[in-house]
């Protein structure tokens, strides 16, 4: 039956956009850190199935260590038995300090990754945050694309947009919009598992991550 006039029931029942509205993005799983901090968050092959060759990942990561840290994503083609893909990537952002002097600068060399790394950089230079002070966090979003034909291209790629933010005190605020991209080389199989974690320490309570499947 066609929806003539949308209401709360019809809107809440929608789980994917029809192709007539610009394509379909289906929410596969949301994970929220509750109770206590965790070392990492993993999306397994239960949700990363062959139904989709393209996934969209978005997240809000709050760090529990008071130093400038990065958010990483480790891909796997064997559902997490190991995370050993050969990865190279790069990114850049503009640092902005708003402390009555509005100074800022581009990151020096961005955050390059050489071939041999086994992780994507989702966002960089985040600071400690918690629910009472909300001092800092890293936000990111981007696509995970499995090759449609491994006889022609043997890579899966991630391209992301992120932002890190924190406040040293009530008047010294920092933010850095960023972009990042990376490629997993020599992978003749689809990525079916990803692990998200910080470069040090744990992921704080309140962090939230969602994975979507994208139809094309």
């Amino acid at each position: 039956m066609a929806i003539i006039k949308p209401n709360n029931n019809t809107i809440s029942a929608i789980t994917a956009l029809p192709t007539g509205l610009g394509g379909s993005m289906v929410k596969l799983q949301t994970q929220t850190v509750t109770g206590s901090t965790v070392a990492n968050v993993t999306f397994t092959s239960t949700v990363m199935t062959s139904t989709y060759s393209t996934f969209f990942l978005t997240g809000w990561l709050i760090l529990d260590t008071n130093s400038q840290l990065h958010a990483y994503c480790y891909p796997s083609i064997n559902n997490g038995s190991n995370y050993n893909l050969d990865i190279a990537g790069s990114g850049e952002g503009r640092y902005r300090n708003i402390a009555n002097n509005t100074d800022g600068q581009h990151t020096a060399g961005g955050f390059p990754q050489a071939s041999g790394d086994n992780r994507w950089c989702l966002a960089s230079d985040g600071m400690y945050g918690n629910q009472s002070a909300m001092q800092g966090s890293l936000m990111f979003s981007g696509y995970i694309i499995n090759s449609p034909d491994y006889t022609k291209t043997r890579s899966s790629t991630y391209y992301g947009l992120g932002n890190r933010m924190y406040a040293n005190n009530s008047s010294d605020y920092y933010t850095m919009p960023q972009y990042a991209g990376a490629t997993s080389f020599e992978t003749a199989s689809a990525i079916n598992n990803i692990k998200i974690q910080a470069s040090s320490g744990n992921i704080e309570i309140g962090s939230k991550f969602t994975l979507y499947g994208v139809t094309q």
Side-chain angles (χ1 to χ4, degrees), residues 122-180:
L122 299 174
S124 68
D125 293 334
M127 292 286 285
Y128 172 78
N130 58 51
Q131 291 180 327
S132 60
M134 287 307 294
Q135 190 174 16
S137 63
L138 293 167
M139 295 189 300
F140 56 85
S141 61
Y143 290 95
I144 301 166
I145 304 172
N146 284 316
S147 174
D149 187 350
Y150 287 106
T151 65
K152 295 182 174 62
T153 174
R154 296 169 62 86
S155 65
S156 300
T157 62
Y158 171 88
Y159 180 78
L161 298 173
N163 186 56
R164 61 95 161 169
M165 67 213 75
Y166 65 93
N168 279 343
N169 50 55
S170 60
S171 63
D172 197 4
Y173 302 100
Y174 300 81
T175 186
M176 180 186 284
Q178 306 166 339
Y179 68 86

Side-chain angles (χ1 to χ4, degrees), residues 3 5-15:
I3 299 175
K5 183 178 179 180
N7 55 44
N8 288 340
N9 291 331
T10 58
I11 296 299
S12 63
I14 295 175
T15 58

Side-chain angles (χ1 to χ4, degrees), residues 75-135:
S76 172
I77 59 175
N78 52 23
N79 196 29
S81 293
N82 53 61
Y83 298 91
N84 59 358
L85 301 184
D86 188 7
I87 293 173
S90 184
E92 190 173 1
R94 180 173 174 81
Y95 168 87
R96 180 74 166 172
N97 172 20
I98 304 175
N100 299 321
N101 54 17
T102 63
D103 66 334
Q105 63 184 25
H106 287 285
T107 52
F111 31 94
Q113 297 171 256
S115 177
D117 284 352
N118 65 335
R119 60 200 181 188
W120 297 313
C121 185
L122 299 174
S124 68
D125 293 334
M127 292 286 285
Y128 172 78
N130 58 51
Q131 291 180 327
S132 60
M134 287 307 294
Q135 190 174 16

